[in-house]
Amino acid sequence: MTLVSPLSPPAAATPGVVPFARDLARHGDRLAVMAGADRWTHRELAERVGATADRLGSGRKLVLVSGSNDPGQLVTYLAALAAGHVALLAPPAQAGTVAAAYDPDAVLLPGGELDLRRPTSAHELHPDLALLMPTSGSTGSPKLARLSHRNLQANAESIVAYLGIRDTDRAVTTLPMHYVYGLSVVNTHLLRGGAVVLTDLSVADACFWDLMTSEGGTTLAGVPHTFDLLDRVGFAGMRLPRLRYVTQAGGRLDPARVRRYAELGRRAGWDFVVMYGQTEATARMAYLPPELAAAHPETVGVPIPGGSFDLEPAPEAAAPGVGELVYRGPNVMLGYASSPADLALGRTVTELRTGDLARRTAGGLYEIVGRRSRFVKIAGLRVDLDHLETALSRPGAVVRCTGADGELMVAVSGPGASAEVAAVRQEVAGRFGLPARAVTVTAVAEFPRLANGKVDYPALRELVSAAPQEEPPPAGTGGATPERLRALYAELLGRPDATLDSTFVGLGGDSLSYVEVSIRLEAELGAVPANWHVTPIRELAGARAPAAGGRWRMRRLETSAALRALAIVCVVGTHAGLFTLLGGAHVLVAVAGFNFARFRLTTAERTTRLRRQAVGIARIAVPSMLWIGGVVLLTNQYGPLNVLLLNGLLGPPSWTSDWHFWFVEVLVYILVVMAALLAVPSVDRLERRFPFAFPVVLLGFGLLGRYEVVDLGVPHTMPVFWLFAFGWAAARASRWWQRLGLTAVLAATVPGFFGNSAREIAIVGGVALLLWLATVPCPAQLQRMVSVLASSSLYVYLTHWQVYPHLDDIHPALAVAASLATGASVWWLAARATTLVSGLGARLGAARAVAGTAPDRA
């Protein structure tokens, strides 16, 4: 077997353009882009690209594109490549910073409008320059990689060659286009005549797998964190008959996991391909042939076609045969840009010194054994630790950063260090987009130093690891600092440029973000003033809301009811595509546990409590089974297992429409198990004697499932029992220290569970409301509507699957409104029917009682 195959030189192409972007139309009527209801062939995509190129004009320009997985962004990016302009890709949250640094000539605005700032470029653009890419992930470093037309074309052709991409392949986007790995997926499939399915959904979302199946996805790309999520959602048990291969890059994957996925792919009929690359090499430098993955999972494989490696001596390389890995090939960048003046430069590098220490095995495979540079990779993002130190340091608090792939350790020193720990933690998550689970922040008296006076980073890492971690101040205690609130705004609104004088309205907040920000502010402050949305951030810290009165006629609404109404709107709105606010179903699980403790675990004797629990289960299971049964009779969408609410236990492992009712099934399973447990007299006595400790113990057991220490037996729904137990414990928490302890558990266990910060924020905010607020204010005019939505939430959940798909094409808002109205109507009818049946039963019982007292006439 030949491990290194040279790539023949590409055919001569028109200077100054990227051939695959220019020649889209040659693939004719093959599908190219699938994005929601949009279906574009390669010919139609070429027409849109041509039209956008015409709008850009004839003179070469620097075109800023916010590289999200959006059709408009894709078209503008391709138009720049096809017409000889220079595309500048930036993460959406960093677009403003990049624009200020590089002054682009044209900008694609968030709403899809192309802003042409000038007819000709203000910059001198080198003829070979085609693309500028950020090199340090989300850390906002101004350093960009300068990539040429040949870089893009050569690397795309090489990847197509070693992966064997076909014109029938369809790649569902799991990574953003502003990340070079995600961009390479788009480039290669369009070059070959395949299709890309554009989405920002996470692999942790059930809707992603619905999309993967419905659109016939054949390829899946992931960074190491992606595979954490795949393990959680039961990927190994999914049935994906069209899947051809899974690729991994963006950091080192544990060899045991590489071997496991290679073997899983072999059994399921798809290839697992480990790859290695850097932005400076356009995307890829090496790949591990799938047939070698199980035997050599610790390696990155061989150079890509057309590329080569050398090992050069490095002072850090102590082991024999280890050196710095140096790559050469047609995909090596022109060089770096640190300012607009660098855009005029031609090639300044001919080889890529990767900064990685490696060795070559006897079989010709390369293995990465260490790193020279001050970079780490977290969730697939390459983080410049030196830049991070500069950005986080502030008067009174100097920051030093260390860590390894997958973890960032931050030490804060100085007079104000202790007070700044929370603010630094918030800024790392909000401004730089790094997952909180991977970041440790602590205050230190002083940094350990070497004899030469430099910071001793290995010793600093040990110091941070050993330091106890401070928990954030509990909700409502006035512990929120202005900087903490600024970081919160920056995180939730995607506005890292927020200042202490900013307001919610001034930062572009809308009705959707209003709810989420207000919930988080209330968790931070205990209460918020009525005019918080127009109040500067610095004035909000420590604020308390005045009593509502006057013409606003505010009422108090139970927090659990408000959460039920809000959560079901979020579920329906997300499924219908009106907006994306995930986590509603999981908040409902916690609310179910909260209400279970309040309404089912009363002081009544054990048999009475069990009878009430049985009634509660029936009120969920019976209407669910009746509705699903009716749908089965009228359509072929579901099956008998759905009617019996057994799909979660006995249904197919792959995620299909049969899993639409997972929430109902899991809730019934939990309630049945709890009823069986509390039916044991000794357990019943324990629960009564230790009303708070009992659910805390159950919470601990549930966390074993959340962290996959034990298998709770229900695939694809994620282990949600711990959220039910959390709600139960929240209802029993009668003292401040109990609520504080639960808050700490909540803050520690929710982040990182889904891999989606917005979803995790919604869950933490919603459940925290249960802990700290018995009621929430609600305008009197809305109280009735909110109450109806809360009461009918089960029926809305059951019926919306049959409502919104028929109205989405008209408008998502209509689909959401109709779904809510239908569920509320069915709930009203069910309530009336229940009242009628109950009344009839009572009359029959009375009649039997009368008959039983009549004299015997025999």
Side-chain angles (χ1 to χ4, degrees):
M1 177 179 62
T2 302
L3 294 180
V4 182
S5 56
L7 184 70
S8 59
T14 303
V17 301
V18 179
F20 75 76
R22 177 198 59 195
D23 299 335
L24 291 167
R26 72 186 180 91
H27 300 295
D29 292 330
R30 301 201 65 84
L31 271 178
V33 176
M34 307 156 79
D38 290 331
R39 295 288 190 277
W40 300 343
T41 66
H42 279 263
R43 181 177 289 107
E44 291 169 335
L45 176 60
E47 292 172 355
R48 286 172 167 79
V49 168
T52 301
D54 290 342
R55 292 177 60 196
L56 288 171
S58 56
R60 292 188 80 209
K61 295 179 178 66
L62 180 62
V63 183
L64 175 62
V65 178
S66 175
S68 57
N69 297 330
D70 173 81
Q73 308 286 348
L74 173 62
V75 168
T76 305
Y77 158 72
L78 292 171
L81 300 186
H85 302 288
V86 177
L88 168 55
L89 262 61
Q94 301 295 333
T97 303
V98 173
Y102 283 89
D103 188 22
D105 306 306
V107 177
L108 184 63
L109 301 175
E113 180 184 353
L114 187 59
D115 178 19
L116 294 175
R117 296 183 171 183
R118 54 184 72 96
T120 58
S121 181
H123 312 290
E124 183 180 349
L125 306 173
H126 191 276
D128 292 339
L129 184 61
L131 176 65
L132 296 164
M133 290 288 289
T135 62
S136 300
S138 65
T139 60
S141 170
K143 182 185 287 187
L144 303 174
R146 296 182 291 114
L147 303 174
S148 71
H149 310 93
R150 186 176 181 231
N151 290 157
L152 290 168
Q153 186 72 18
N155 202 231
E157 290 179 352
S158 182
I159 297 171
V160 166
Y162 73 73
L163 284 181
I165 297 177
R166 304 170 183 172
D167 58 8
T168 55
D169 278 327
R170 295 182 178 181
V172 182
T173 55
T174 52
L175 304 164
M177 288 199 304
H178 61 75
Y179 178 35
V180 73
Y181 182 14
L183 186 65
S184 72
V185 173
V186 173
N187 291 345
T188 52
H189 283 74
L190 294 181
L191 180 149
R192 188 62 181 87
V196 290
V197 182
L198 298 179
T199 180
D200 287 319
L201 290 170
S202 164
V203 297
D205 300 325
C207 297
F208 175 89
W209 298 105
D210 289 341
L211 183 68
M212 183 82 177
T213 302
S214 64
E215 301 291 20
T218 64
T219 68
L220 197 65
V223 297
H225 181 58
T226 307
F227 292 88
D228 293 338
L229 300 177
L230 291 179
D231 286 345
R232 288 199 189 125
V233 300
F235 175 76
M238 292 186 185
R239 185 173 177 272
L240 301 167
R242 294 205 60 189
L243 184 63
R244 291 187 55 236
Y245 59 88
V246 176
T247 62
Q248 182 271 319
R252 184 176 185 269
L253 194 64
D254 181 73
R257 187 174 285 186
V258 171
R259 182 180 290 110
R260 178 159 60 86
Y261 270 87
E263 294 172 349
L264 174 63
R266 179 180 54 79
R267 294 193 302 268
W270 45 264
D271 289 334
F272 183 59
V273 186
V274 173
M275 305 187 298
Y276 166 69
Q278 292 182 1
T279 305
E280 292 86 343
T282 311
R284 307 271 70 80
M285 293 183 288
Y287 74 103
L288 180 60
E291 64 272 17
L292 303 179
H296 304 280
E298 71 285 352
T299 72
V300 296
V302 299
I304 64 173
S308 64
F309 284 132
D310 281 326
L311 295 174
E312 297 193 358
E316 300 87 350
V322 173
E324 182 179 9
L325 192 63
V326 178
Y327 175 80
R328 296 177 180 87
N331 52 314
V332 173
M333 66 175 180
L334 299 174
Y336 289 114
S338 298
S339 69
D342 295 333
L343 306 186
L345 298 176
R347 180 169 292 281
T348 58
V349 298
T350 57
E351 61 186 20
L352 179 58
R353 305 187 70 87
T354 64
D356 289 323
L357 300 175
R359 68 182 185 91
R360 189 173 185 267
T361 70
L365 305 177
Y366 287 85
E367 178 185 359
I368 308 297
V369 297
R371 190 185 295 276
R372 292 193 65 188
S373 59
R374 288 268 295 151
F375 287 87
V376 295
K377 281 192 175 181
I378 298 176
L381 299 173
R382 191 163 170 242
V383 180
D384 183 339
L385 297 180
D386 292 329
H387 175 76
L388 205 60
E389 288 180 353
T390 302
L392 293 175
S393 293
R394 59 199 73 197
V398 179
V399 172
R400 291 293 177 262
C401 301
T402 183
D405 282 359
E407 62 177 347
L408 174 67
M409 295 185 172
V410 181
V412 187
S413 183
S418 298
E420 291 294 338
V421 166
V424 169
R425 184 184 292 112
Q426 287 281 347
E427 188 167 1
V428 168
R431 178 179 172 187
F432 299 119
L434 300 180
R437 61 175 176 76
V439 180
T440 302
V441 184
T442 192
V444 298
E446 58 182 5
F447 303 121
R449 297 188 181 275
L450 301 169
N452 60 8
K454 294 183 178 180
V455 174
D456 184 348
Y457 282 102
L460 182 65
R461 180 175 179 178
E462 294 180 5
L463 185 63
V464 175
S465 298
Q469 290 299 294
E470 299 180 9
E471 295 293 342
T477 60
T481 64
E483 178 56 33
R484 182 182 176 95
L485 296 186
R486 189 210 64 77
L488 184 149
Y489 272 56
E491 176 187 0
L492 296 185
L493 298 178
R495 292 293 300 270
D497 57 338
T499 69
L500 297 182
D501 294 315
S502 298
T503 67
F504 175 85
V505 172
L507 291 172
D510 56 19
S511 60
L512 299 179
S513 52
Y514 183 97
V515 174
E516 187 176 9
V517 175
S518 64
I519 288 175
R520 286 290 299 276
L521 280 179
E522 194 147 19
E524 293 284 349
L525 303 174
V528 292
N531 62 342
W532 69 266
H533 54 295
V534 294
T535 302
I537 293 172
R538 68 171 72 251
E539 297 178 20
L540 281 176
R544 291 295 181 268
R551 61 189 182 90
W552 291 108
R553 294 166 48 213
M554 298 297 291
R555 303 280 181 84
R556 304 298 300 185
L557 188 67
E558 281 198 355
T559 303
S560 61
L563 286 175
R564 286 173 66 187
L566 176 61
I568 197 61
V569 171
C570 291
V571 168
V572 176
T574 298
H575 287 171
L578 182 61
F579 51 80
T580 300
L581 187 57
L582 303 171
H586 293 82
V587 171
L588 286 174
V589 172
V591 172
F594 185 86
N595 287 334
F596 173 79
R598 293 177 66 205
F599 303 128
R600 303 302 173 203
L601 302 182
T602 64
T603 57
E605 54 96 22
R606 180 170 57 88
T607 56
T608 300
R609 293 209 316 188
L610 289 175
R611 185 173 65 251
R612 291 172 178 171
Q613 291 174 44
V615 170
I617 295 170
R619 286 179 175 174
I620 297 172
V622 171
S624 300
M625 296 168 73
L626 289 175
W627 176 263
I628 300 170
V631 174
V632 170
L633 290 177
L634 298 175
T635 71
N636 60 357
Q637 186 174 7
Y638 307 115
L641 290 178
N642 294 109
V643 179
L644 298 175
L645 302 181
L646 295 176
N647 184 73
L649 296 175
L650 305 176
S654 60
W655 192 283
T656 66
S657 61
D658 289 343
W659 288 90
H660 281 172
F661 303 99
W662 73 266
F663 169 79
V664 175
E665 292 182 354
V666 169
L667 185 55
V668 170
Y669 299 163
I670 291 173
L671 293 175
V672 169
V673 171
M674 290 300 98
L677 183 65
L678 292 169
V680 179
S682 58
V683 176
D684 179 77
R685 288 193 295 272
L686 280 174
E687 191 280 326
R688 294 172 189 270
R689 184 175 180 183
F690 304 103
F692 178 73
F694 189 90
V696 169
V697 172
L698 291 180
L699 173 59
F701 173 77
L703 288 174
L704 295 178
R706 177 257 183 271
Y707 289 106
E708 303 175 330
V709 178
V710 298
D711 184 0
L712 297 184
V714 184
H716 294 312
T717 60
M718 293 196 173
V720 296
F721 173 73
W722 66 287
L723 289 172
F724 181 92
F726 200 103
W728 181 346
R732 296 305 201 198
S734 58
R735 300 182 180 181
W736 70 266
W737 60 265
Q738 293 173 335
R739 292 193 293 272
L740 180 60
L742 288 175
T743 303
V745 173
L746 182 71
T749 55
V750 172
F753 184 46
F754 299 93
N756 182 311
S757 60
R759 187 178 202 171
E760 291 162 357
I761 288 167
I763 294 172
V764 170
V767 181
L769 285 176
L770 284 178
L771 272 170
W772 295 99
L773 293 176
T775 62
V776 292
C778 177
Q781 297 87 340
L782 296 179
Q783 188 176 33
R784 176 57 182 165
M785 181 180 70
V786 174
S787 298
V788 168
L789 286 176
S791 300
S792 61
S793 57
L794 171 65
Y795 294 84
V796 173
Y797 186 90
L798 288 172
T799 60
H800 85 284
W801 298 108
Q802 280 68 56
V803 178
Y804 81 83
H806 301 290
L807 299 172
D808 259 349
D809 290 340
I810 300 175
H811 198 283
L814 177 61
V816 171
S819 297
L820 298 177
T822 300
S825 299
V826 173
W827 162 74
W828 186 86
L829 291 173
R832 301 291 79 74
T834 300
T835 301
L836 181 62
V837 171
S838 299
L840 179 60
R843 287 193 295 272
L844 290 175
R848 284 195 297 269
V850 171
T853 60
D856 186 2
R857 298 181 183 276

